[in-house]
Every structure is written in C-alpha cells, then in structure tokens.
Amino acid sequence: MGADAFPAVFGVADAIPGWLTRDQAHALFDAATQLRPGSTVVEIGSHQGRSTVVLAGARPDVTVVSIDPFVGGKYGGDLAARAFARHVDDAGVADRVESIPQPSETARRAWGDRPVDLLYVDGAHDPVHAYQDIRWARTMAPGSRVLVHDSFSSVGVTLALAWAVARREPLVYDRRVGSLAVFTVGRPGLGSAARMLRELPWFLRNVVVKTLMRLRLRPVARFLGHRDAAEPY
Ligand SMILES: C[S@@+](CC[C@H](N)C(=O)[O-])C[C@H]1O[C@@H](n2cnc3c(N)ncnc32)[C@H](O)[C@@H]1O
C-alpha cells in the first residue's frame, strides 16, 4: 500500500468519532508507511479506533497494538470498546490490530522485550501518565518515530514533554501538525529543545483559548482565531 492510499484510508477513518485531524492522520499514515514488514506499532489511547484505522490502514504487513482500558465518563467506557471493535472490523484491518484493554502502565509491565517500531501516544493526558507513555521511547531503536497527540495543547502532556526534555529522554523534536508532535528516537541536542521552546507562544495561546471556552466565552476565542466547536487539538 503506497502513500497514495491515504485518501481512501482517511475516508474510512473520518467516519469514526475521535480527535484526529486529516493532517494529523496523514502524519501518522506516513510514519506507518515507512515501517518495514513485520513491524510493531504501539498506539496508546485508541478510543473508538479513528487513529487505529489510519495506522493499520497504512500497510497490511504491520501489527498495531492498541492499548486502551476504555475508561468511562467522556470517553464512553464499554460503548467505546464495542465501537472500537466494530470500527476496526468494518475497516477490514482487524487481522492486524491487537487490542490490549488495559491501562498503558499495566501493558508496559507485561510487555517484555518485544520491539516497538512506531509509538503513538494519545492515552491519559495527566503529566504522570503521559510521561510514562513517552518513556516507552527508551526501548526503541534510534531513528524510530514517536508521535504525541495534544502536545502544546494539553497542559498535562506539555508538562510531560518538558519533563522528558529535562530528563534527556531519547527524543529529538522534529515538528508538529496542530497538536501532534513528531519526534525521532535519538540523542536530543540543544536544537531539539530550542525547537520545542519555540512552540511556547502557541501553547500559551491554546491555554487561553481553552480557558475562554470553559468560561463560555467562545466569541473571544473566535477573536483569537479559534473557530472549532472543540477545544484546540
Ligand atoms: C483522546 S482519546 C484517544 C483518541 C484516539 N487516538 C482517536 O484517534 O480518536 C484518549 C483515550 O485514552 C484512554 N486512556 C485513558 N487512560 C489510559 C491509560 N492509562 N492507558 C491507556 N489509555 C488510556 C481513554 O480510554 C481514551 O479512549
């Protein structure tokens, strides 16, 4: 399956509720198409399968391990779990998706030494869990890709990233697609930290927009250029 398959794959994924823009889906799809046959993708936080279908749709010869305990509340619990199974099946990718319905920290403890070739982090957004998830990068080969959703838009994820920089986790920051940050596993230099620091104004703007939206001041958020009904992601 080549890069030109993206529109068809996204056409299927786009019918699945979730928080992944077309451009972000394209970045995930591109990262997955660059993998070797037999590679393993770890996706933390699959929800109803929007990102899963993009990752698994990129090529038939990789396995996508989707880790999600399907928590309740706004994420829908069992309803989301059932929708996930249905969406993956309907998309015709169930044979290459392995679901682990557990919190990522539990899955991590049982993981062993199975290689991880591509990591997508979009699970719990508090700083402790997000940092634990980002730390999976420690087990990955240099040059592998790590993509982190809600970077510089969620305070929790951004704190986790700041901590990862302070702890010199093996992640070199490349770019972001909206709130999706793209990293390469490797030794981070000053350039990587400087590129992340440059995202600070965008992060602060997102915090202001979110605060305005929670205070029901959407018109002011619109004035700042945020036209979506959803908070920035
Ligand atoms: C923002 S949603 C993921 C969206 C999904 N990637 C998409 O494209 O639509 C976050 C998900 O993280 C899951 N989650 C919450 N705590 C988790 C944990 N400790 N480990 C893994 N996933 C977790 C939630 O159940 C929820 O489905």
Side-chain angles (χ1 to χ4, degrees):
M1 199 162 291
D4 48 357
F6 175 73
V9 171
F10 188 68
V12 175
D14 201 23
I16 302 172
W19 299 265
L20 188 74
T21 67
R22 182 188 173 89
D23 289 346
Q24 291 168 349
H26 211 157
L28 284 185
F29 182 89
D30 284 348
T33 51
Q34 285 158 23
L35 293 169
R36 293 203 190 96
S39 293
T40 300
V41 180
V42 168
E43 174 193 53
I44 301 175
S46 47
H47 190 52
Q48 294 196 24
R50 187 174 170 94
S51 46
T52 317
V53 163
V54 170
L55 288 164
R59 49 188 305 156
D61 51 6
V62 301
T63 302
V64 178
V65 181
S66 294
I67 301 168
D68 196 316
F70 298 107
V71 300
K74 73 168 178 173
Y75 290 129
D78 285 349
L79 278 180
R82 283 198 290 275
F84 170 80
R86 196 175 59 248
H87 291 145
V88 163
D89 215 24
D90 289 352
V93 295
D95 59 329
R96 56 194 105 131
V97 175
E98 236 176 76
S99 169
I100 302 185
Q102 294 173 348
S104 55
E105 56 275 25
T106 311
R108 178 77 191 94
R109 279 196 294 275
W111 187 260
D113 55 7
R114 185 175 174 186
V116 178
D117 303 296
L118 173 63
L119 175 66
Y120 177 47
V121 177
D122 192 16
H125 284 29
D126 65 278
V128 174
H129 284 99
Y131 177 61
Q132 278 172 6
D133 293 345
I134 290 165
R135 269 185 23 182
W136 280 60
R138 286 185 183 183
T139 66
M140 296 170 69
S144 311
R145 290 289 196 183
V146 174
L147 295 98
V148 183
H149 202 249
D150 293 310
S151 300
F152 317 113
S153 69
S154 150
V155 173
V157 177
T158 307
L159 284 174
L161 286 174
W163 190 236
V165 171
R167 297 297 307 269
R168 296 189 56 76
E169 296 296 340
L171 286 170
V172 179
Y173 180 60
D174 178 10
R175 66 195 165 99
R176 68 171 172 85
V177 182
S179 77
L180 179 77
V182 182
F183 296 90
T184 305
V185 175
R187 282 163 67 102
L190 281 179
S192 173
R195 282 194 295 282
M196 289 177 77
L197 210 56
R198 261 189 251 135
E199 307 294 5
L200 203 58
W202 193 73
F203 168 64
L204 294 174
R205 175 257 186 206
N206 286 334
V207 173
V208 171
V209 166
K210 278 187 171 189
T211 309
L212 290 169
M213 291 179 80
R214 286 177 197 191
L215 292 173
R216 299 177 190 281
L217 293 170
R218 278 171 196 274
V220 190
R222 264 200 296 279
F223 181 73
L224 289 179
H226 184 75
R227 310 212 175 277
D228 272 9
E231 292 183 352
Y233 63 91

